[in-house]
Amino acid sequence: MYRKNTKVIKVGNKLIGGDNPIAVQSMTNTLTKDIDASIKQIKELEKARCDIVRMAITDIEDAKAIQEIKKHISIPIIADIQYDYRLALESIKYGVDGLRINPGNIGRFSKVEEIVNACKEKEISIRIGVNSGSIKKEFLDKYDGVNECSMVYSAMEQINLLEELGFYDIKISLKASNVPLAIKSYSKMSELCDYPLHLGITEAGPSFRGIVKSSVGIGHLLATGIGDTIRISLTGDPVDEVKTGREILKSLGLLEEGLEIISCPTCARTKIDLINIVNEAEDRLKNIDKHIKVAIMGCPVNGPGEAKEADIGIAGGNGRGLIFRKGQIVKRVEEENLLDELIKEIDKMD
Ligand code: SF4
């Protein structure tokens, strides 16, 4: 799949942009200064294979906490700073790996310069994040409201500010909760510059709606070669953001890991309890670290045929079923043993 060749920047031990893997990010929702809770949540994110974690830094205590938290985790931390340049400087002092700021919100040029100098010294990259809800009035007036032009040129102003200071380790986000607006904004920015882009649909909403909106928006952009890191914003457990992000990448062939289950929607031909078998399979196979495709199909007529590309699978019959590999039947099994037999066969596979 085509992917735009963007500039490579560093966030801690991760390289972002170019042909590096697309990083999946999330953000803690603990109090950053609650060190134990923050470490616990980041460890859960790491287990879900989160690549980079962002933390809101709201005061000096939060900034100080970074130092202790980093001793216990292995993924890079990005400090999310809103207005106070001192919090950016303190976060850098306490070992943060990246910053998320809007230089235009920091105030005097000299304060931005101080941050940039500290970032240069520690080789820390900066994400410029423009949200559809926070575009400056002058851009809204100039481009007639919230649209891709006001989003992109608002970000460009921030980029120019950093470039004037000779700083180029930049990535950009242009988040909007409106999916078409986010798509148009990122697409326009991708035409105008080569900095890596961090994709997100902001305030995507509660789980189901949020996953749909993010999958459509982020999925569309990734499929057109745009995007170097992603974050799925969901109202809920950040671990779900990571799981969703990785599934989006897997579904586009941008990430190859773990087991992929494909299953049929069931119909009047289904004579086994397929829905329960699929749910149980998801649970029992979730820790298997083999890159294989497993099909769980409701009938033998369409099963092995439709799921030929699967490495292994089940096709249900009437109270029994078939185990097949690459479309070829391996054995016939009673319904109650189907899943156990499938797992035995998977265990034998390299
Ligand atoms: Fe129906 Fe068979 Fe298709 Fe499943 S695979 S939906 S049971 S026809």
Side-chain angles (χ1 to χ4, degrees), residues 219-316:
H220 173 93
L221 287 162
L222 291 170
T224 54
I226 296 170
D228 301 282
T229 87
I230 62 172
R231 188 228 171 159
I232 314 301
S233 299
L234 299 176
T235 310
D237 186 344
V239 167
D240 291 337
E241 298 185 346
V242 177
K243 287 183 182 165
T244 307
R246 297 193 84 81
E247 276 308 312
I248 291 174
L249 295 180
K250 277 160 73 176
S251 69
L252 287 166
L254 292 165
L255 176 67
E256 290 192 350
E257 70 173 14
L259 215 130
E260 183 184 348
I261 297 181
I262 52 173
S263 55
C264 82
T266 73
C267 72
R269 294 186 190 90
T270 317
K271 300 281 187 265
I272 57 170
D273 188 1
L274 192 88
I275 295 172
N276 272 329
I277 291 176
V278 171
N279 288 339
E280 199 183 329
E282 279 240 290
D283 188 47
R284 289 178 63 184
L285 298 173
K286 67 175 184 264
N287 295 323
I288 292 188
D289 197 15
K290 290 179 182 175
H291 180 53
I292 54 173
K293 196 179 267 190
V294 180
I296 304 184
M297 310 295 278
C299 72
V301 181
N302 288 1
E306 273 189 17
K308 272 202 287 290
E309 81 279 18
D311 298 293
I312 189 157
I314 288 173

Side-chain angles (χ1 to χ4, degrees), residues 151-179:
M151 294 270 288
V152 165
Y153 291 111
S154 179
M156 279 295 185
E157 184 192 52
Q158 317 272 326
I159 295 167
N160 292 340
L161 202 55
L162 295 184
E163 287 180 339
E164 270 178 49
L165 292 163
F167 190 82
Y168 306 97
D169 290 333
I170 299 169
K171 68 179 181 314
I172 304 156
S173 66
L174 299 160
K175 296 185 181 181
S177 56
N178 177 306
V179 173

